[in-house]
Amino acid sequence: MGLRIAVIGMGAWGSTLAALLKQQGHQVSGWSRRVGGDPAELLPSADLVLVAASMAGVEALAPGLSASWPPGLPLLSCTKGINLEQGCTPGQLWLRHMPQLPLLVLSGPNLATELAEGLPAASVLASSDLDLARHWQHQLSSERLRLYSNHDPVGTEVAGALKNVMAIAAGICDGLHLGANAKASLLCRGLVEMGVVIQGLGGTPGSLYGLAGLGDLLATANSHLSRNYRFGLALAQGQSRQEALVSVGATVEGACTADAVLLLGQEHQWHLPICHEVVALMEGQVKPDAAVRRLMERHLKDEGLVT
């Protein structure tokens, strides 16, 4: 008999996950801000709550839901981003409101359109409680979505958030027709910046090279299905931030993530030149070709890989 799973946030990603869970035989109930109602009503009868809301949505939901959350009910966070005001991941934000929450996070190379079309993918299910991650790994894996487990939810979430910023940069690179060498160099150095932030927020650098890091980066930095990649293409064509957002026509988490990470980087003195140039370009402080030139003309240094 299937499990009772509540899905909060029924956008493209939440709806895709809900459909996959239904096909596995689970009983799925959903809530979205567009439809309205009280999401707390889904909690008492659920075996698991899956949250696929945006980062802004989590900021609005967490305080209210924490007051009515049943003890021991696990939450699976599928949100990707960094909270601008508090400088934390979605999972960390949930835990600030509910410190005893059994928390899991899901991340990986999972373009919603491909999954909706029935194409196969893999992802990672992470929790500080590895037994919890392994339990739900077996409950939720399917022929179309193979799940791995790890015990680094922070590193998994940070990697999943930062790859969106690097996908924007990749879109800019391709939009300027800079070639394969430049793009490969950009993504490699982007991984280093992702590792700096993972370490800075308390994650494990090894997660950088897993499905949530390198795997997700390869998917989102090379596909027109990626909203962040298309946003970068639009910026390369000279569109403003707002114009590019309109042309994509959907939430671009990497834009807000870049803002948040740059502020964190300035606060902690992290060296994040790619994030810096992405934000400068979005704010109209520099033209696309000048942003590339500034990256190429920085002082020479050791490669400095994250280990």
Side-chain angles (χ1 to χ4, degrees):
M1 183 175 179
L3 296 165
R4 297 166 299 178
I5 301 176
V7 178
I8 296 178
M10 294 292 287
W13 184 217
S15 297
T16 298
L17 290 171
L20 283 173
L21 293 169
K22 286 180 181 178
Q23 289 168 9
Q24 289 178 255
H26 300 303
Q27 302 173 45
V28 179
S29 56
W31 175 90
S32 70
R33 178 173 50 84
R34 293 188 303 274
V35 175
D38 185 0
E41 295 178 356
L42 303 181
L43 304 182
S45 61
D47 298 310
L48 173 72
V49 176
L50 185 155
V51 179
S54 66
M55 188 71 242
V58 172
E59 294 167 11
L61 286 166
L65 289 180
S66 62
S68 54
W69 199 273
L73 176 62
L75 184 153
L76 175 55
S77 175
C78 302
T79 302
K80 294 181 180 179
I82 301 291
N83 179 273
L84 182 60
E85 288 75 23
Q86 300 188 49
C88 65
T89 67
Q92 289 174 325
L93 183 58
W94 283 110
L95 289 173
R96 290 183 183 185
H97 291 278
M98 296 181 283
Q100 304 305 316
L101 176 69
L103 177 73
L104 307 107
V105 302
L106 177 74
S107 193
N110 304 143
L111 295 166
T113 301
E114 290 192 356
L115 278 170
E117 292 174 351
L119 298 175
S123 194
V124 62
L125 200 60
S127 175
S128 57
D129 181 346
L130 188 55
D131 288 337
L132 181 69
R134 287 171 174 166
H135 169 77
W136 285 103
Q137 170 192 15
H138 288 281
Q139 295 291 329
L140 302 178
S141 286
S142 69
E143 293 180 354
R144 290 169 54 190
L145 183 61
R146 177 179 173 85
L147 296 178
Y148 292 79
S149 58
N150 77 31
H151 57 88
D152 180 28
V154 174
T156 298
E157 284 192 297
V158 174
L162 265 292
K163 60 83 190 175
N164 283 332
V165 181
M166 301 310 156
I168 293 173
I172 295 168
C173 183
D174 284 353
L176 294 174
H177 307 290
L178 298 180
N181 291 335
K183 186 173 181 180
S185 302
L186 172 75
L187 295 182
C188 185
R189 297 309 303 170
L191 279 171
V192 174
E193 290 192 28
M194 291 165 63
V196 168
V197 182
I198 287 175
Q199 285 184 312
L201 290 181
T204 302
S207 296
L208 179 69
Y209 304 104
L211 289 164
L214 180 59
D216 206 357
L217 179 63
L218 291 175
T220 55
N222 292 291
S223 174
H224 284 266
L225 296 176
S226 164
R227 294 168 292 180
N228 295 282
Y229 177 79
R230 298 202 310 274
F231 179 73
L233 287 174
L235 291 176
Q237 294 165 2
Q239 294 185 25
S240 68
R241 177 174 182 159
Q242 188 56 40
E243 289 169 340
L245 289 172
V246 171
S247 69
V248 172
T251 301
V252 179
E253 289 286 5
C256 293
T257 300
D259 294 330
V261 169
L262 187 60
L263 285 177
L264 281 172
Q266 293 168 346
E267 178 182 347
H268 297 284
Q269 297 185 323
W270 298 334
H271 187 58
L272 306 171
I274 297 174
C275 288
H276 181 275
E277 294 303 330
V278 168
V279 172
L281 183 55
M282 289 193 302
E283 294 183 350
Q285 298 173 353
V286 64
K287 298 295 184 182
D289 56 346
V292 173
R293 186 168 61 251
R294 295 201 309 195
L295 285 172
M296 294 298 291
E297 291 177 350
R298 291 182 305 113
H299 66 86
L300 301 178
K301 55 183 290 187
D302 295 335
E303 188 172 23
L305 298 175
V306 177
T307 59

PDB file of all heavy atoms in Angstrom, residues 252-287:
ATOM      1  N   VAL A 252      13.675  32.256 -11.826  1.00  0.00           N
ATOM      2  CA  VAL A 252      15.094  31.998 -12.079  1.00  0.00           C
ATOM      3  C   VAL A 252      15.803  32.092 -10.725  1.00  0.00           C
ATOM      4  O   VAL A 252      16.231  33.166 -10.309  1.00  0.00           O
ATOM      5  CB  VAL A 252      15.681  33.004 -13.094  1.00  0.00           C
ATOM      6  CG1 VAL A 252      17.166  32.734 -13.326  1.00  0.00           C
ATOM      7  CG2 VAL A 252      14.922  32.916 -14.417  1.00  0.00           C
ATOM      8  N   GLU A 253      15.898  30.960 -10.030  1.00  0.00           N
ATOM      9  CA  GLU A 253      16.443  30.964  -8.674  1.00  0.00           C
ATOM     10  C   GLU A 253      17.890  31.456  -8.634  1.00  0.00           C
ATOM     11  O   GLU A 253      18.332  32.050  -7.654  1.00  0.00           O
ATOM     12  CB  GLU A 253      16.358  29.564  -8.063  1.00  0.00           C
ATOM     13  CG  GLU A 253      14.948  29.122  -7.714  1.00  0.00           C
ATOM     14  CD  GLU A 253      14.389  29.801  -6.471  1.00  0.00           C
ATOM     15  OE1 GLU A 253      15.056  30.696  -5.919  1.00  0.00           O
ATOM     16  OE2 GLU A 253      13.267  29.454  -6.069  1.00  0.00           O
ATOM     17  N   GLY A 254      18.634  31.213  -9.713  1.00  0.00           N
ATOM     18  CA  GLY A 254      20.046  31.586  -9.712  1.00  0.00           C
ATOM     19  C   GLY A 254      20.279  33.075  -9.581  1.00  0.00           C
ATOM     20  O   GLY A 254      21.315  33.502  -9.068  1.00  0.00           O
ATOM     21  N   ALA A 255      19.319  33.887 -10.031  1.00  0.00           N
ATOM     22  CA  ALA A 255      19.485  35.343  -9.942  1.00  0.00           C
ATOM     23  C   ALA A 255      19.511  35.797  -8.486  1.00  0.00           C
ATOM     24  O   ALA A 255      20.415  36.523  -8.057  1.00  0.00           O
ATOM     25  CB  ALA A 255      18.366  36.039 -10.710  1.00  0.00           C
ATOM     26  N   CYS A 256      18.523  35.365  -7.708  1.00  0.00           N
ATOM     27  CA  CYS A 256      18.487  35.729  -6.286  1.00  0.00           C
ATOM     28  C   CYS A 256      19.608  35.046  -5.511  1.00  0.00           C
ATOM     29  O   CYS A 256      20.161  35.617  -4.565  1.00  0.00           O
ATOM     30  CB  CYS A 256      17.136  35.354  -5.684  1.00  0.00           C
ATOM     31  SG  CYS A 256      15.751  36.321  -6.336  1.00  0.00           S
ATOM     32  N   THR A 257      19.942  33.812  -5.906  1.00  0.00           N
ATOM     33  CA  THR A 257      21.041  33.113  -5.245  1.00  0.00           C
ATOM     34  C   THR A 257      22.350  33.859  -5.429  1.00  0.00           C
ATOM     35  O   THR A 257      23.152  33.982  -4.494  1.00  0.00           O
ATOM     36  CB  THR A 257      21.176  31.683  -5.795  1.00  0.00           C
ATOM     37  OG1 THR A 257      19.963  30.967  -5.553  1.00  0.00           O
ATOM     38  CG2 THR A 257      22.330  30.948  -5.125  1.00  0.00           C
ATOM     39  N   ALA A 258      22.590  34.392  -6.620  1.00  0.00           N
ATOM     40  CA  ALA A 258      23.815  35.148  -6.871  1.00  0.00           C
ATOM     41  C   ALA A 258      23.888  36.371  -5.969  1.00  0.00           C
ATOM     42  O   ALA A 258      24.952  36.687  -5.410  1.00  0.00           O
ATOM     43  CB  ALA A 258      23.879  35.568  -8.340  1.00  0.00           C
ATOM     44  N   ASP A 259      22.763  37.067  -5.794  1.00  0.00           N
ATOM     45  CA  ASP A 259      22.721  38.219  -4.894  1.00  0.00           C
ATOM     46  C   ASP A 259      23.104  37.810  -3.475  1.00  0.00           C
ATOM     47  O   ASP A 259      23.922  38.456  -2.817  1.00  0.00           O
ATOM     48  CB  ASP A 259      21.323  38.840  -4.881  1.00  0.00           C
ATOM     49  CG  ASP A 259      20.925  39.452  -6.208  1.00  0.00           C
ATOM     50  OD1 ASP A 259      21.828  39.913  -6.933  1.00  0.00           O
ATOM     51  OD2 ASP A 259      19.719  39.486  -6.510  1.00  0.00           O
ATOM     52  N   ALA A 260      22.484  36.723  -2.995  1.00  0.00           N
ATOM     53  CA  ALA A 260      22.711  36.280  -1.620  1.00  0.00           C
ATOM     54  C   ALA A 260      24.147  35.828  -1.409  1.00  0.00           C
ATOM     55  O   ALA A 260      24.787  36.165  -0.400  1.00  0.00           O
ATOM     56  CB  ALA A 260      21.743  35.146  -1.275  1.00  0.00           C
ATOM     57  N   VAL A 261      24.667  35.062  -2.363  1.00  0.00           N
ATOM     58  CA  VAL A 261      26.026  34.528  -2.211  1.00  0.00           C
ATOM     59  C   VAL A 261      27.064  35.643  -2.263  1.00  0.00           C
ATOM     60  O   VAL A 261      28.054  35.621  -1.526  1.00  0.00           O
ATOM     61  CB  VAL A 261      26.297  33.473  -3.303  1.00  0.00           C
ATOM     62  CG1 VAL A 261      27.775  33.099  -3.344  1.00  0.00           C
ATOM     63  CG2 VAL A 261      25.451  32.237  -3.041  1.00  0.00           C
ATOM     64  N   LEU A 262      26.827  36.634  -3.117  1.00  0.00           N
ATOM     65  CA  LEU A 262      27.784  37.732  -3.191  1.00  0.00           C
ATOM     66  C   LEU A 262      27.830  38.503  -1.871  1.00  0.00           C
ATOM     67  O   LEU A 262      28.918  38.865  -1.395  1.00  0.00           O
ATOM     68  CB  LEU A 262      27.422  38.674  -4.336  1.00  0.00           C
ATOM     69  CG  LEU A 262      28.463  39.779  -4.615  1.00  0.00           C
ATOM     70  CD1 LEU A 262      29.809  39.164  -4.989  1.00  0.00           C
ATOM     71  CD2 LEU A 262      27.990  40.700  -5.732  1.00  0.00           C
ATOM     72  N   LEU A 263      26.683  38.735  -1.254  1.00  0.00           N
ATOM     73  CA  LEU A 263      26.662  39.404   0.048  1.00  0.00           C
ATOM     74  C   LEU A 263      27.383  38.575   1.106  1.00  0.00           C
ATOM     75  O   LEU A 263      28.150  39.104   1.922  1.00  0.00           O
ATOM     76  CB  LEU A 263      25.218  39.669   0.482  1.00  0.00           C
ATOM     77  CG  LEU A 263      24.496  40.807  -0.235  1.00  0.00           C
ATOM     78  CD1 LEU A 263      23.049  40.900   0.244  1.00  0.00           C
ATOM     79  CD2 LEU A 263      25.203  42.145   0.011  1.00  0.00           C
ATOM     80  N   LEU A 264      27.138  37.260   1.094  1.00  0.00           N
ATOM     81  CA  LEU A 264      27.834  36.380   2.030  1.00  0.00           C
ATOM     82  C   LEU A 264      29.336  36.400   1.775  1.00  0.00           C
ATOM     83  O   LEU A 264      30.142  36.400   2.705  1.00  0.00           O
ATOM     84  CB  LEU A 264      27.312  34.947   1.891  1.00  0.00           C
ATOM     85  CG  LEU A 264      25.979  34.615   2.558  1.00  0.00           C
ATOM     86  CD1 LEU A 264      25.529  33.215   2.153  1.00  0.00           C
ATOM     87  CD2 LEU A 264      26.100  34.714   4.058  1.00  0.00           C
ATOM     88  N   GLY A 265      29.700  36.395   0.498  1.00  0.00           N
ATOM     89  CA  GLY A 265      31.116  36.418   0.144  1.00  0.00           C
ATOM     90  C   GLY A 265      31.812  37.675   0.633  1.00  0.00           C
ATOM     91  O   GLY A 265      32.953  37.622   1.113  1.00  0.00           O
ATOM     92  N   GLN A 266      31.130  38.796   0.516  1.00  0.00           N
ATOM     93  CA  GLN A 266      31.713  40.048   1.009  1.00  0.00           C
ATOM     94  C   GLN A 266      31.841  40.040   2.522  1.00  0.00           C
ATOM     95  O   GLN A 266      32.825  40.518   3.084  1.00  0.00           O
ATOM     96  CB  GLN A 266      30.849  41.219   0.543  1.00  0.00           C
ATOM     97  CG  GLN A 266      30.875  41.431  -0.966  1.00  0.00           C
ATOM     98  CD  GLN A 266      29.812  42.403  -1.453  1.00  0.00           C
ATOM     99  OE1 GLN A 266      28.881  42.746  -0.719  1.00  0.00           O
ATOM    100  NE2 GLN A 266      29.933  42.840  -2.702  1.00  0.00           N
ATOM    101  N   GLU A 267      30.836  39.466   3.194  1.00  0.00           N
ATOM    102  CA  GLU A 267      30.855  39.405   4.656  1.00  0.00           C
ATOM    103  C   GLU A 267      31.980  38.512   5.176  1.00  0.00           C
ATOM    104  O   GLU A 267      32.648  38.837   6.161  1.00  0.00           O
ATOM    105  CB  GLU A 267      29.503  38.886   5.153  1.00  0.00           C
ATOM    106  CG  GLU A 267      29.408  38.735   6.663  1.00  0.00           C
ATOM    107  CD  GLU A 267      28.072  38.161   7.099  1.00  0.00           C
ATOM    108  OE1 GLU A 267      27.140  38.107   6.254  1.00  0.00           O
ATOM    109  OE2 GLU A 267      27.961  37.757   8.270  1.00  0.00           O
ATOM    110  N   HIS A 268      32.178  37.367   4.496  1.00  0.00           N
ATOM    111  CA  HIS A 268      33.163  36.393   4.965  1.00  0.00           C
ATOM    112  C   HIS A 268      34.482  36.458   4.201  1.00  0.00           C
ATOM    113  O   HIS A 268      35.373  35.648   4.450  1.00  0.00           O
ATOM    114  CB  HIS A 268      32.586  34.981   4.849  1.00  0.00           C
ATOM    115  CG  HIS A 268      31.387  34.752   5.715  1.00  0.00           C
ATOM    116  ND1 HIS A 268      31.474  34.565   7.077  1.00  0.00           N
ATOM    117  CD2 HIS A 268      30.058  34.686   5.415  1.00  0.00           C
ATOM    118  CE1 HIS A 268      30.264  34.381   7.583  1.00  0.00           C
ATOM    119  NE2 HIS A 268      29.381  34.460   6.596  1.00  0.00           N
ATOM    120  N   GLN A 269      34.588  37.402   3.259  1.00  0.00           N
ATOM    121  CA  GLN A 269      35.799  37.574   2.449  1.00  0.00           C
ATOM    122  C   GLN A 269      36.119  36.327   1.619  1.00  0.00           C
ATOM    123  O   GLN A 269      37.262  35.912   1.502  1.00  0.00           O
ATOM    124  CB  GLN A 269      36.990  37.961   3.336  1.00  0.00           C
ATOM    125  CG  GLN A 269      36.803  39.305   4.032  1.00  0.00           C
ATOM    126  CD  GLN A 269      38.019  39.752   4.820  1.00  0.00           C
ATOM    127  OE1 GLN A 269      38.721  38.947   5.435  1.00  0.00           O
ATOM    128  NE2 GLN A 269      38.291  41.047   4.795  1.00  0.00           N
ATOM    129  N   TRP A 270      35.053  35.733   1.051  1.00  0.00           N
ATOM    130  CA  TRP A 270      35.239  34.633   0.122  1.00  0.00           C
ATOM    131  C   TRP A 270      35.594  35.202  -1.256  1.00  0.00           C
ATOM    132  O   TRP A 270      35.104  36.256  -1.651  1.00  0.00           O
ATOM    133  CB  TRP A 270      33.966  33.803  -0.004  1.00  0.00           C
ATOM    134  CG  TRP A 270      33.526  33.146   1.267  1.00  0.00           C
ATOM    135  CD1 TRP A 270      34.303  32.797   2.328  1.00  0.00           C
ATOM    136  CD2 TRP A 270      32.193  32.749   1.600  1.00  0.00           C
ATOM    137  NE1 TRP A 270      33.539  32.210   3.302  1.00  0.00           N
ATOM    138  CE2 TRP A 270      32.243  32.163   2.883  1.00  0.00           C
ATOM    139  CE3 TRP A 270      30.961  32.817   0.944  1.00  0.00           C
ATOM    140  CZ2 TRP A 270      31.109  31.655   3.526  1.00  0.00           C
ATOM    141  CZ3 TRP A 270      29.839  32.324   1.570  1.00  0.00           C
ATOM    142  CH2 TRP A 270      29.916  31.742   2.839  1.00  0.00           C
ATOM    143  N   HIS A 271      36.422  34.490  -1.977  1.00  0.00           N
ATOM    144  CA  HIS A 271      36.835  34.929  -3.318  1.00  0.00           C
ATOM    145  C   HIS A 271      35.914  34.268  -4.339  1.00  0.00           C
ATOM    146  O   HIS A 271      36.028  33.077  -4.627  1.00  0.00           O
ATOM    147  CB  HIS A 271      38.294  34.530  -3.555  1.00  0.00           C
ATOM    148  CG  HIS A 271      38.852  35.085  -4.837  1.00  0.00           C
ATOM    149  ND1 HIS A 271      38.896  36.435  -5.117  1.00  0.00           N
ATOM    150  CD2 HIS A 271      39.390  34.462  -5.921  1.00  0.00           C
ATOM    151  CE1 HIS A 271      39.435  36.629  -6.297  1.00  0.00           C
ATOM    152  NE2 HIS A 271      39.735  35.454  -6.813  1.00  0.00           N
ATOM    153  N   LEU A 272      34.976  35.054  -4.912  1.00  0.00           N
ATOM    154  CA  LEU A 272      33.947  34.528  -5.811  1.00  0.00           C
ATOM    155  C   LEU A 272      33.844  35.391  -7.071  1.00  0.00           C
ATOM    156  O   LEU A 272      32.835  36.069  -7.303  1.00  0.00           O
ATOM    157  CB  LEU A 272      32.589  34.491  -5.084  1.00  0.00           C
ATOM    158  CG  LEU A 272      32.535  33.749  -3.744  1.00  0.00           C
ATOM    159  CD1 LEU A 272      31.198  34.003  -3.054  1.00  0.00           C
ATOM    160  CD2 LEU A 272      32.771  32.261  -3.937  1.00  0.00           C
ATOM    161  N   PRO A 273      34.869  35.387  -7.911  1.00  0.00           N
ATOM    162  CA  PRO A 273      34.870  36.302  -9.065  1.00  0.00           C
ATOM    163  C   PRO A 273      33.759  36.042 -10.074  1.00  0.00           C
ATOM    164  O   PRO A 273      33.230  36.985 -10.658  1.00  0.00           O
ATOM    165  CB  PRO A 273      36.257  36.073  -9.693  1.00  0.00           C
ATOM    166  CG  PRO A 273      36.704  34.746  -9.177  1.00  0.00           C
ATOM    167  CD  PRO A 273      36.124  34.617  -7.809  1.00  0.00           C
ATOM    168  N   ILE A 274      33.378  34.785 -10.305  1.00  0.00           N
ATOM    169  CA  ILE A 274      32.310  34.519 -11.279  1.00  0.00           C
ATOM    170  C   ILE A 274      30.980  35.036 -10.752  1.00  0.00           C
ATOM    171  O   ILE A 274      30.227  35.705 -11.475  1.00  0.00           O
ATOM    172  CB  ILE A 274      32.234  33.018 -11.611  1.00  0.00           C
ATOM    173  CG1 ILE A 274      33.537  32.558 -12.268  1.00  0.00           C
ATOM    174  CG2 ILE A 274      31.050  32.737 -12.542  1.00  0.00           C
ATOM    175  CD1 ILE A 274      33.610  31.056 -12.513  1.00  0.00           C
ATOM    176  N   CYS A 275      30.679  34.763  -9.487  1.00  0.00           N
ATOM    177  CA  CYS A 275      29.449  35.291  -8.887  1.00  0.00           C
ATOM    178  C   CYS A 275      29.444  36.819  -8.956  1.00  0.00           C
ATOM    179  O   CYS A 275      28.404  37.432  -9.240  1.00  0.00           O
ATOM    180  CB  CYS A 275      29.343  34.845  -7.427  1.00  0.00           C
ATOM    181  SG  CYS A 275      28.969  33.094  -7.198  1.00  0.00           S
ATOM    182  N   HIS A 276      30.590  37.432  -8.703  1.00  0.00           N
ATOM    183  CA  HIS A 276      30.694  38.892  -8.730  1.00  0.00           C
ATOM    184  C   HIS A 276      30.336  39.444 -10.108  1.00  0.00           C
ATOM    185  O   HIS A 276      29.572  40.415 -10.230  1.00  0.00           O
ATOM    186  CB  HIS A 276      32.101  39.318  -8.340  1.00  0.00           C
ATOM    187  CG  HIS A 276      32.298  40.800  -8.308  1.00  0.00           C
ATOM    188  ND1 HIS A 276      32.618  41.533  -9.438  1.00  0.00           N
ATOM    189  CD2 HIS A 276      32.188  41.694  -7.300  1.00  0.00           C
ATOM    190  CE1 HIS A 276      32.705  42.808  -9.117  1.00  0.00           C
ATOM    191  NE2 HIS A 276      32.458  42.929  -7.829  1.00  0.00           N
ATOM    192  N   GLU A 277      30.858  38.830 -11.153  1.00  0.00           N
ATOM    193  CA  GLU A 277      30.604  39.334 -12.499  1.00  0.00           C
ATOM    194  C   GLU A 277      29.170  39.074 -12.940  1.00  0.00           C
ATOM    195  O   GLU A 277      28.575  39.882 -13.652  1.00  0.00           O
ATOM    196  CB  GLU A 277      31.592  38.714 -13.490  1.00  0.00           C
ATOM    197  CG  GLU A 277      33.043  39.124 -13.270  1.00  0.00           C
ATOM    198  CD  GLU A 277      33.253  40.626 -13.321  1.00  0.00           C
ATOM    199  OE1 GLU A 277      32.505  41.336 -14.035  1.00  0.00           O
ATOM    200  OE2 GLU A 277      34.177  41.112 -12.633  1.00  0.00           O
ATOM    201  N   VAL A 278      28.580  37.944 -12.510  1.00  0.00           N
ATOM    202  CA  VAL A 278      27.179  37.675 -12.828  1.00  0.00           C
ATOM    203  C   VAL A 278      26.282  38.750 -12.222  1.00  0.00           C
ATOM    204  O   VAL A 278      25.382  39.298 -12.880  1.00  0.00           O
ATOM    205  CB  VAL A 278      26.761  36.272 -12.346  1.00  0.00           C
ATOM    206  CG1 VAL A 278      25.240  36.106 -12.414  1.00  0.00           C
ATOM    207  CG2 VAL A 278      27.428  35.195 -13.197  1.00  0.00           C
ATOM    208  N   VAL A 279      26.534  39.094 -10.953  1.00  0.00           N
ATOM    209  CA  VAL A 279      25.727  40.124 -10.297  1.00  0.00           C
ATOM    210  C   VAL A 279      25.961  41.491 -10.938  1.00  0.00           C
ATOM    211  O   VAL A 279      25.013  42.250 -11.176  1.00  0.00           O
ATOM    212  CB  VAL A 279      26.033  40.175  -8.785  1.00  0.00           C
ATOM    213  CG1 VAL A 279      25.346  41.371  -8.131  1.00  0.00           C
ATOM    214  CG2 VAL A 279      25.575  38.887  -8.109  1.00  0.00           C
ATOM    215  N   ALA A 280      27.208  41.808 -11.242  1.00  0.00           N
ATOM    216  CA  ALA A 280      27.516  43.091 -11.875  1.00  0.00           C
ATOM    217  C   ALA A 280      26.798  43.219 -13.215  1.00  0.00           C
ATOM    218  O   ALA A 280      26.285  44.292 -13.562  1.00  0.00           O
ATOM    219  CB  ALA A 280      29.028  43.234 -12.054  1.00  0.00           C
ATOM    220  N   LEU A 281      26.743  42.131 -13.960  1.00  0.00           N
ATOM    221  CA  LEU A 281      26.059  42.141 -15.255  1.00  0.00           C
ATOM    222  C   LEU A 281      24.548  42.295 -15.067  1.00  0.00           C
ATOM    223  O   LEU A 281      23.897  43.074 -15.773  1.00  0.00           O
ATOM    224  CB  LEU A 281      26.383  40.855 -16.013  1.00  0.00           C
ATOM    225  CG  LEU A 281      25.818  40.711 -17.423  1.00  0.00           C
ATOM    226  CD1 LEU A 281      26.214  41.883 -18.299  1.00  0.00           C
ATOM    227  CD2 LEU A 281      26.278  39.399 -18.047  1.00  0.00           C
ATOM    228  N   MET A 282      23.979  41.581 -14.086  1.00  0.00           N
ATOM    229  CA  MET A 282      22.546  41.692 -13.832  1.00  0.00           C
ATOM    230  C   MET A 282      22.160  43.106 -13.412  1.00  0.00           C
ATOM    231  O   MET A 282      21.078  43.594 -13.738  1.00  0.00           O
ATOM    232  CB  MET A 282      22.117  40.699 -12.744  1.00  0.00           C
ATOM    233  CG  MET A 282      22.134  39.245 -13.166  1.00  0.00           C
ATOM    234  SD  MET A 282      21.266  38.148 -11.996  1.00  0.00           S
ATOM    235  CE  MET A 282      22.162  38.461 -10.469  1.00  0.00           C
ATOM    236  N   GLU A 283      23.035  43.781 -12.676  1.00  0.00           N
ATOM    237  CA  GLU A 283      22.746  45.128 -12.192  1.00  0.00           C
ATOM    238  C   GLU A 283      23.101  46.209 -13.197  1.00  0.00           C
ATOM    239  O   GLU A 283      22.952  47.398 -12.909  1.00  0.00           O
ATOM    240  CB  GLU A 283      23.488  45.364 -10.876  1.00  0.00           C
ATOM    241  CG  GLU A 283      22.985  44.481  -9.737  1.00  0.00           C
ATOM    242  CD  GLU A 283      23.665  44.769  -8.419  1.00  0.00           C
ATOM    243  OE1 GLU A 283      24.676  45.530  -8.423  1.00  0.00           O
ATOM    244  OE2 GLU A 283      23.208  44.250  -7.384  1.00  0.00           O
ATOM    245  N   GLY A 284      23.565  45.807 -14.371  1.00  0.00           N
ATOM    246  CA  GLY A 284      23.891  46.776 -15.412  1.00  0.00           C
ATOM    247  C   GLY A 284      25.168  47.544 -15.171  1.00  0.00           C
ATOM    248  O   GLY A 284      25.399  48.595 -15.785  1.00  0.00           O
ATOM    249  N   GLN A 285      26.036  47.041 -14.295  1.00  0.00           N
ATOM    250  CA  GLN A 285      27.287  47.723 -13.976  1.00  0.00           C
ATOM    251  C   GLN A 285      28.381  47.435 -15.001  1.00  0.00           C
ATOM    252  O   GLN A 285      29.396  48.130 -15.035  1.00  0.00           O
ATOM    253  CB  GLN A 285      27.766  47.305 -12.581  1.00  0.00           C
ATOM    254  CG  GLN A 285      26.817  47.678 -11.457  1.00  0.00           C
ATOM    255  CD  GLN A 285      27.250  47.107 -10.131  1.00  0.00           C
ATOM    256  OE1 GLN A 285      28.188  46.320 -10.042  1.00  0.00           O
ATOM    257  NE2 GLN A 285      26.543  47.477  -9.071  1.00  0.00           N
ATOM    258  N   VAL A 286      28.181  46.399 -15.808  1.00  0.00           N
ATOM    259  CA  VAL A 286      29.197  46.007 -16.777  1.00  0.00           C
ATOM    260  C   VAL A 286      28.497  45.340 -17.955  1.00  0.00           C
ATOM    261  O   VAL A 286      27.427  44.751 -17.809  1.00  0.00           O
ATOM    262  CB  VAL A 286      30.221  45.040 -16.112  1.00  0.00           C
ATOM    263  CG1 VAL A 286      29.525  43.752 -15.691  1.00  0.00           C
ATOM    264  CG2 VAL A 286      31.395  44.751 -17.025  1.00  0.00           C
ATOM    265  N   LYS A 287      29.095  45.454 -19.141  1.00  0.00           N
ATOM    266  CA  LYS A 287      28.582  44.781 -20.326  1.00  0.00           C
ATOM    267  C   LYS A 287      29.120  43.344 -20.362  1.00  0.00           C
ATOM    268  O   LYS A 287      30.152  43.043 -19.762  1.00  0.00           O
ATOM    269  CB  LYS A 287      29.010  45.525 -21.591  1.00  0.00           C
ATOM    270  CG  LYS A 287      28.463  46.944 -21.679  1.00  0.00           C
ATOM    271  CD  LYS A 287      26.954  46.951 -21.806  1.00  0.00           C
ATOM    272  CE  LYS A 287      26.425  48.384 -22.000  1.00  0.00           C
ATOM    273  NZ  LYS A 287      24.945  48.407 -22.073  1.00  0.00           N
TER     274      LYS A 287
END
